[in-house]
């Protein structure tokens, strides 16, 4: 670590040129200052002087250029770095009030009333939350006090982040976000000391269903616009699911770290646990552009209307949601009805595609002619790589087995079932990870088409409470 920091100082210590980017500089300052005792341990006075001189140069650069960072996460990274530098560096104390006030204004402007952000990127929200917690605790430890808008933003964000967590603590993957670094969200929520309350059922246009040990997070919003369009995915009514502390059904994730081809493919609706109609996407992306350091395709079209209703009774929870993203293409409106039993062991879905009104019917008729025998429909269910899938003895259902030994059965009516290759795109991994997906296919030949499916846990919940299976310890013969 000392060699890496020293090498960077020698080549780029003035924070100019390609490394002179406000958000990177803010992040670097946070980490260097947090680990300064370690980085300075047992190095000579000359190298220590270089280190402190570089900190001063980076702080001066950030003080003058923080507003060059794009709005959203990059701006929060830049301002957090400026605030941490003001608290930590002797002589930089005047920056504390300035950076604290700017951070408060950014919280007021960018964190919505529901605790969400315009990008609808759950990982971005969680990362901003952790930065705000970090800066608030640093200020308090130094005898300061965060800006009131800073504190208010933390109170709004915590319930939204809890909504977006799956059972293992990971964040649901939507709109350019990954599952996040393991433990980051849990640590931030603990450090944030935000009073616990009942987890919300909706925030940032996502909905949550939970029963027993089962959690679903569903995208019940439109495609982000503005700055959020840079990382937006086509994912209306897509969902992710966990059982206990095991991720079960996921979206493929974000392919940004694996090149343009993976990045574009991961934004397509087929890369999500969602419904594909006519082999096309309900959201269209424009020409490839570059915004700052992020390659992205702004959204050109997407669903105009996304609806959601929910109900609860003794049997469980119901969610009825719909979107019109396919209507301009083939006249069809997609409705997805979900039911989750109270014990979490029974998830049922009903997908309906309908064309209502003369305009929609004409569009559907034209789409049928284009495709020949009808409009193809495919429901995709992407499995976590640790989930094994095989046909049952009758060949009418699939058996899904988790590493803990927990088993679920999958059945459907209204189409044909196949198991096909898929991929898990984790930006923290060296390469995409192979997995499987369940695909249910049919063809729409009338103005209304319906498909039903069910995931049902085999056995009782008492038999599958152990979520972690440790490998058996093999001892040498002489120790047996």
């Amino acid at each position: 670590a000392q060699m890496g920091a020293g090498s960077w100082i020698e080549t780029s210590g003035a924070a100019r040129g390609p490394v002179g980017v406000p958000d990177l500089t803010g992040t670097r300052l946070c980490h260097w200052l947090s680990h300064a005792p370690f980085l300075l341990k047992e190095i000579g006075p000359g190298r220590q002087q270089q280190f402190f001189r570089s900190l001063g140069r980076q702080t001066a650069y950030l003080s003058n250029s923080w507003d060059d960072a794009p709005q959203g996460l990059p701006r929060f990274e830049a301002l957090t770095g400026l605030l941490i530098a003001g608290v930590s560096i002797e002589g930089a104390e005047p920056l504390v009030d300035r950076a604290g006030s700017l951070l408060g204004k950014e919280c007021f402007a960018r964190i919505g009333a529901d605790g969400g952000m315009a990008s609808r990127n759950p990982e971005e929200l969680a990362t901003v939350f952790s930065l705000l917690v970090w800066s608030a605790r640093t200020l308090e430890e130094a005898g300061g006090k965060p800006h009131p808008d800073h504190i208010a933003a933390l109170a709004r964000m915590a319930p939204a982040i809890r909504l977006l967590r799956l059972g293992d603590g990971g964040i649901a993957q939507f709109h350019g976000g990954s599952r996040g670094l393991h433990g980051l969200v849990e640590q931030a929520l603990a450090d944030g000391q935000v009073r616990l309350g009942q987890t919300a059922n909706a925030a940032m246009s996502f909905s949550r269903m939970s029963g027993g040990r089962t959690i679903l997070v569903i995208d019940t919003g439109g495609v982000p616009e503005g700055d959020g369009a840079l990382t937006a995915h086509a994912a209306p009514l897509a969902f992710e699911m966990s059982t206990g502390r095991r991720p079960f059904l996921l979206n493929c994730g974000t392919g940004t770290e694996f090149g343009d081809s993976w990045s574009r493919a991961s934004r397509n609706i087929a890369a999500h646990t969602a419904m594909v109609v006519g082999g096309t996407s309900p959201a269209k992306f424009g020409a490839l552009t570059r915004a700052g350091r992020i390659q992205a395709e702004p959204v050109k079209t997407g669903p105009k209307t996304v609806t959601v209703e929910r109900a609860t009774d003794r049997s469980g929870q119901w969610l009825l949601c719909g979107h019109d993203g396919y209507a301009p293409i083939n006249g069809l409106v997609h409705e997805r009805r979900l039911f989750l039993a109270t014990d979490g062991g029974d998830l049922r879905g009903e997908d309906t595609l309908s064309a209502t009104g003369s305009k929609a019917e004409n569009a559907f008729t034209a789409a049928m002619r284009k495709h020949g025998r009808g409009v193809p429909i495919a429901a995709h269910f992407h499995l976590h790589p640790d989930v094994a899938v095989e046909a049952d003895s009758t060949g009418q259902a699939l058996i899904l087995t988790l590493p803990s030994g927990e088993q679920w059965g999958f059945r459907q009516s209204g189409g044909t079932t196949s198991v096909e290759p898929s991929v898990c795109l984790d930006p923290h991994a060296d390469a995409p990870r192979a997995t499987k997906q369940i695909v249910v296919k049919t063809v729409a030949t009338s103005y209304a088409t319906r498909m039903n499916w069910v995931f049902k846990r085999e056995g009782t919940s008492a038999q599958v409470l152990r979520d972690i299976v440790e490998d058996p310890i093999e001892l040498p013969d002489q120790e047996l």
Side-chain angles (χ1 to χ4, degrees), residues 178-229:
S178 72
R179 307 204 68 230
L181 291 172
H182 182 71
L184 176 67
V185 175
E186 300 287 346
Q187 188 65 53
L189 287 169
D191 292 343
Q193 300 175 7
V194 179
R195 185 176 178 181
L196 289 174
Q198 185 176 6
T199 301
N201 287 324
M204 206 160 70
S205 296
F206 291 97
S207 297
R208 177 186 178 94
M209 301 177 74
S210 60
R213 303 163 60 248
T214 303
I215 297 171
L216 274 77
V217 178
I218 309 105
D219 187 345
T220 50
V223 180
E225 299 179 352
D227 292 338

Side-chain angles (χ1 to χ4, degrees), residues 59-60 63 82-83 85-87 91-101:
T59 302
S63 178
L82 195 62
L83 181 62
V87 171
E93 292 85 358
L95 290 176
V96 175
D97 289 342
R98 179 186 172 213
S101 177

Side-chain angles (χ1 to χ4, degrees), residues 7 9 53 97 113 134 183 185 221 252 285 289 297 335 337 414 417 448:
S7 175
I9 289 171
R53 185 182 299 117
D97 289 342
W134 187 359
V185 175
C252 289
F285 301 107
T289 62
E297 294 176 346
E335 284 191 344
R337 185 191 301 268
T417 304

Side-chain angles (χ1 to χ4, degrees), residues 223 225 234 281-286 298-304 325 328-329:
V223 180
E225 299 179 352
S281 173
K284 300 295 183 182
F285 301 107
V299 176
K300 293 180 67 176
T301 62
K304 300 300 181 185
I329 306 169

Side-chain angles (χ1 to χ4, degrees), residues 52-400:
F52 288 118
R53 185 182 299 117
S54 176
L55 285 178
R57 288 174 175 172
Q58 292 181 67
T59 302
Y61 162 79
L62 193 56
S63 178
N64 294 321
S65 63
W66 64 269
D67 54 349
D68 290 337
Q71 294 174 350
L73 176 59
R75 183 74 58 86
F76 281 103
E77 289 174 327
L79 289 175
T80 300
L82 195 62
L83 181 62
I84 300 294
V87 171
S88 306
I89 299 176
E90 186 176 350
E93 292 85 358
L95 290 176
V96 175
D97 289 342
R98 179 186 172 213
S101 177
L102 291 170
L103 199 56
K105 290 179 180 178
E106 203 67 20
C107 288
F108 181 81
R110 305 299 163 199
I111 307 302
D114 65 350
M117 299 179 67
S119 67
R120 302 193 62 236
N121 181 332
E123 186 187 21
E124 180 180 32
L125 182 72
T127 305
V128 170
F129 180 78
S130 66
L131 290 173
L132 293 177
V133 169
W134 187 359
S135 55
R137 296 293 84 82
T138 302
L139 263 177
E140 291 169 351
E141 290 169 3
K145 188 175 182 180
H147 192 278
D149 287 331
H150 185 158
I151 299 299
L154 288 175
R156 296 196 304 273
M157 296 170 78
I161 290 172
R162 292 190 183 100
L163 178 151
L164 294 164
R165 281 187 307 167
L166 296 177
D168 65 340
I171 292 290
Q173 302 176 118
F174 290 96
H175 299 295
S178 72
R179 307 204 68 230
L181 291 172
H182 182 71
L184 176 67
V185 175
E186 300 287 346
Q187 188 65 53
L189 287 169
D191 292 343
Q193 300 175 7
V194 179
R195 185 176 178 181
L196 289 174
Q198 185 176 6
T199 301
N201 287 324
M204 206 160 70
S205 296
F206 291 97
S207 297
R208 177 186 178 94
M209 301 177 74
S210 60
R213 303 163 60 248
T214 303
I215 297 171
L216 274 77
V217 178
I218 309 105
D219 187 345
T220 50
V223 180
E225 299 179 352
D227 292 338
L230 296 176
T231 57
H233 284 202
L237 312 191
F239 69 92
E240 293 199 336
M241 172 183 171
S242 66
T243 171
R245 293 190 61 82
R246 294 285 182 179
F248 187 24
L249 299 174
L250 300 176
N251 301 315
C252 289
T254 175
T256 305
E257 297 299 320
F258 304 111
D260 289 345
S261 295
W262 278 117
S263 179
R264 293 183 184 186
S266 68
R267 302 179 79 187
N268 194 289
I269 192 168
H272 300 77
T273 294
M275 179 71 76
V276 180
V277 180
T280 188
S281 173
K284 300 295 183 182
F285 301 107
L288 189 68
T289 62
R290 181 173 291 273
R293 301 182 328 281
I294 304 173
Q295 280 192 325
E297 294 176 346
V299 176
K300 293 180 67 176
T301 62
K304 300 300 181 185
T305 303
V306 182
T307 60
V308 58
E309 299 177 28
R310 62 185 310 129
T312 303
D313 59 26
R314 290 184 178 182
S315 64
Q317 301 176 38
W318 301 82
L319 190 75
L320 175 62
C321 42
H323 76 90
D324 61 357
Y326 290 115
I329 306 169
N330 47 45
L332 294 172
V333 172
H334 177 207
E335 284 191 344
R336 169 163 277 182
R337 185 191 301 268
L338 297 172
F339 167 76
L340 180 64
T342 302
D343 67 356
D346 190 357
L347 171 65
R348 297 175 182 269
E350 179 183 84
D351 288 300
T352 303
L353 293 139
S354 58
T356 305
S358 58
K359 183 177 179 180
E361 292 174 356
N362 291 338
F364 176 75
T365 301
M368 276 219 313
R369 293 197 195 100
K370 175 183 175 182
H371 290 284
R373 63 189 184 93
V375 178
I377 296 171
H380 294 253
F381 302 92
H382 296 270
L383 302 173
H384 185 274
D386 292 339
V387 178
V389 56
E390 61 181 356
D392 72 350
S393 58
T394 67
Q396 302 299 312
L398 297 175
I399 300 298
L400 310 169

